Amino acid sequence: MKVVLSLAAVLSVAVSSTSAFVVPHAGNALASSSSTTLFSATMADSGVPPTSSESTDTADVEIPTNLPSECGMDYIPLATMLATGQLAEADQFTRDALIDISGAREKKRDFVYFTDVKNIPATDLATIERLWLKFSGGKFGYSVQKKKWKQSKGDFEVFCRKIGWTTTDGEVERKKRWFGASEFIYDVKKAPEGHLPLTSALRGTSLLKNLLNHPVWDNDDWQKEP
């Protein structure tokens, strides 16, 4: 089943920030909880994510509704955001979802440890991945990042350069940050392959590595549409 929505009917998600590293959710976009706190989704020298991004200029978009979840998670908001080009919101939603489906929230934590990744159901990660791939034309997603990671031979600095997570101040290279205007690119046409979704490197690279090595990627079953 699919739902066709005009842009006028597309939900908008408001996100407010209160600290440099943890961003509380002002209005819940997930069906599984009434109030949520988003985990720190920053690079090493972080800031806060943008509250919104521009929607695509299309009259109608098809929103898939058969989006399997072992946790009862509603992924229609994510599909809507991605289908209409609201990439900042989709990026935030994805990080928020990881807190829930990894069990981190049940442990009263508002961020995901790398040890939580093994608890993420393959069904949910596959649903998230198919949506990112579908609405970015195969440009964004963890599977794309996994390929870039392999090309970088596990070198995080090389990986960051490949997917556009670095910038330069004069002759000094540094990780992109969210201070003031976001330095990340929420535009399918302009961003490098693998640029999104963003994953926190605040506590090192273990979280990213474990996401890219999740068992769901061991075969191609995750690519099959339900």
Side-chain angles (χ1 to χ4, degrees), residues 18-31:
T18 58
S19 71
F21 300 112
V22 179
V23 185
H25 204 238
N28 187 17
L30 303 179

Side-chain angles (χ1 to χ4, degrees), residues 1-4 62-67 76 226:
M1 177 181 178
K2 294 183 178 180
V3 176
V4 179
E62 282 194 345
I63 309 299
T65 57
N66 186 10
L67 303 172
I76 292 178

